[in-house]
Amino acid sequence: MAEVELLSTPHNIQISDVTCDSFRITWEMAHEDSSRVTHYFIDLSRKEGSEHNRFKHRDVPTKLVAKAGPLPMAVRGHWFLSPRTEYCVAVQTAIRQPDGDYQVSEWSQVVEFCTGDYAMEHLQQLLDKAQAAAGRMLRFSVFYRNQSPEYFHYVRSECGGAMLLSFKDNSGSHGSPINGKLRGVFLSCNTEFDTGLPPKDSPYGSLRFQISADRLLNPSTNLYFADFYCMYTAYHYVVLVLAPAGSEGDSFCQSHLPRLDLSTNPFLTYTPGDVPVFCHASDVILEVLYTEPLLLEHGILAQISGRHQLMSLSTANAKKDPSCKVCNISVGR
């Protein structure tokens, strides 16, 4: 019986063109193997909490079996990849035998990579879903920020009376491009149906900073859509970014987020006139990130009821419900 010529181990694994739900992979193998190999086996797992070499036995096809073809190979739709997630990938080449078994190479070295953020096309899908949930528009007159007395004392004593910028946390959709990358000051603008005023209670603190809507929402400011999510409740949140035109935040948003028309979008509108009119969507909770520092002297501080039992309503680093059909799209959470 003739001795079976072993396949070389794939090496120099290269990952390229990584998006939130796809990547391209290539590798090198012995020249004489290129014409013999009939299939590629690719094993992929999340990096977190796993041993890098914990793959199946070398003679068992694993998660992806693909017919051999030109490299690099595009991998899309074979796994439900999540955005901004670290993965480990290894490659095995194989020759299919007449009896259906495979002659296989050793597994390659494990390579790590991280998927990307949502692209514009994915954010547009989220935007379309958010628009369907937005509801009718209600008038409002102020943006506000609820915090503890200690926070505002710090702003006065250590920050010169300015609410400074901080990076957006990781709440909401994991693939939102602003998470951990865009800095701003978070504000609210939702009002109660019966009074037209901001809610009397807040999970964030007992002091409220209020600033006139026309100081922030005007023709000199650009508005962008950033996220749509829920936290295992019936309430849905829409994250918007307000960025003064030409600012650093505006430059970031122009290349990463869909821009909204100030007068016709379904979430937050400005209608010019002798007395400008401002409206917000009634059926979603708006979280507005303003990308410049805000001076306390440009608004007023008022006492409200900050109730600890409302802390469950806080969205700080809140994880999005991956099972919600209203606010999820098909490319990951």
Side-chain angles (χ1 to χ4, degrees), residues 96-137:
R96 186 179 176 91
Q97 305 296 311
D99 61 2
D101 288 338
Y102 290 91
Q103 177 192 346
V104 296
S105 71
E106 295 287 347
W107 280 109
S108 71
Q109 181 181 5
V110 175
V111 173
E112 299 174 359
F113 71 98
C114 185
T115 49
D117 299 331
Y118 285 155
M120 283 286 192
E121 62 182 292
H122 308 122
L123 289 168
Q124 186 61 51
Q125 294 177 40
L126 269 184
L127 172 56
D128 292 341
K129 282 179 167 283
Q131 181 170 346
R136 65 189 181 94
M137 303 297 283

Side-chain angles (χ1 to χ4, degrees), residues 14 21 34 56 65 72 98 106 118 135 138 140 148 153 164 175 193 223 235 255 291 294 314 320:
Q14 300 288 328
D21 65 344
S34 300
K56 297 182 180 180
V65 179
E106 295 287 347
Y118 285 155
L138 300 177
F140 76 101
S148 66
H153 175 74
L164 302 181
F193 288 98
L223 180 65
Y235 301 104
S255 59
T291 63
L294 290 172
S314 171
K320 182 174 183 175

Side-chain angles (χ1 to χ4, degrees), residues 52-332:
H52 293 181
N53 294 318
R54 191 167 62 192
F55 294 110
K56 297 182 180 180
H57 296 296
R58 63 182 297 276
D59 58 347
V60 179
T62 56
K63 296 178 183 176
L64 172 60
V65 179
K67 287 186 176 180
L71 297 175
M73 171 185 170
V75 179
R76 181 169 191 163
H78 303 90
W79 292 281
F80 192 77
L81 297 178
S82 295
R84 286 194 180 194
T85 302
E86 292 183 317
Y87 289 97
C88 301
V89 63
V91 177
Q92 193 178 48
T93 57
I95 301 173
R96 186 179 176 91
Q97 305 296 311
D99 61 2
D101 288 338
Y102 290 91
Q103 177 192 346
V104 296
S105 71
E106 295 287 347
W107 280 109
S108 71
Q109 181 181 5
V110 175
V111 173
E112 299 174 359
F113 71 98
C114 185
T115 49
D117 299 331
Y118 285 155
M120 283 286 192
E121 62 182 292
H122 308 122
L123 289 168
Q124 186 61 51
Q125 294 177 40
L126 269 184
L127 172 56
D128 292 341
K129 282 179 167 283
Q131 181 170 346
R136 65 189 181 94
M137 303 297 283
L138 300 177
R139 289 195 179 194
F140 76 101
S141 60
V142 297
F143 289 100
Y144 57 92
R145 178 174 174 83
N146 305 316
Q147 283 288 346
S148 66
E150 292 77 15
Y151 168 82
F152 288 110
H153 175 74
Y154 177 81
V155 168
R156 286 197 182 96
S157 61
E158 304 294 333
C159 305
M163 292 184 287
L164 302 181
L165 310 183
S166 59
F167 283 105
K168 166 69 172 64
D169 65 11
N170 289 317
S171 61
S173 299
H174 197 48
S176 176
I178 70 172
N179 290 353
K181 294 183 179 180
L182 183 62
R183 298 192 306 156
V185 179
F186 260 115
L187 303 166
S188 300
C189 64
N190 287 84
T191 57
E192 294 185 325
F193 288 98
D194 53 346
T195 66
L197 300 174
K200 298 176 181 179
D201 301 318
S202 169
Y204 298 102
S206 60
L207 280 182
R208 171 173 292 157
F209 169 77
Q210 292 187 176
I211 186 169
S212 179
D214 59 2
R215 271 193 173 270
L216 308 184
L217 186 57
N218 54 61
S220 298
T221 307
N222 290 326
L223 180 65
Y224 298 89
F225 172 84
D227 202 3
F228 178 48
Y229 71 99
C230 70
M231 303 181 299
Y232 301 90
T233 67
Y235 301 104
H236 278 83
Y237 297 81
V238 170
V239 181
L240 304 175
V241 179
L242 270 177
S247 66
E248 181 180 347
D250 190 43
S251 298
F252 176 92
C253 293
Q254 285 180 13
S255 59
H256 292 87
L257 303 177
R259 183 177 170 183
L260 303 175
D261 186 280
L262 286 182
S263 61
T264 61
N265 76 86
F267 311 114
L268 185 68
T269 59
Y270 158 83
T271 303
D274 293 337
V275 179
V277 175
F278 304 93
C279 294
H280 69 81
S282 60
D283 291 350
V284 292
I285 299 173
L286 298 182
E287 299 180 312
V288 182
L289 187 68
Y290 188 72
T291 63
E292 293 295 305
L294 290 172
L295 294 174
L296 294 182
E297 65 185 42
H298 289 165
I300 61 171
L301 281 178
Q303 188 80 29
I304 61 170
S305 298
R307 298 183 179 175
H308 292 293
Q309 60 264 40
L310 295 177
M311 282 307 295
S312 61
L313 299 179
S314 171
T315 61
N317 289 306
K319 300 304 180 185
K320 182 174 183 175
D321 178 2
S323 65
C324 179
K325 296 181 179 179
V326 174
C327 61
N328 280 298
I329 56 178
S330 61
V331 294

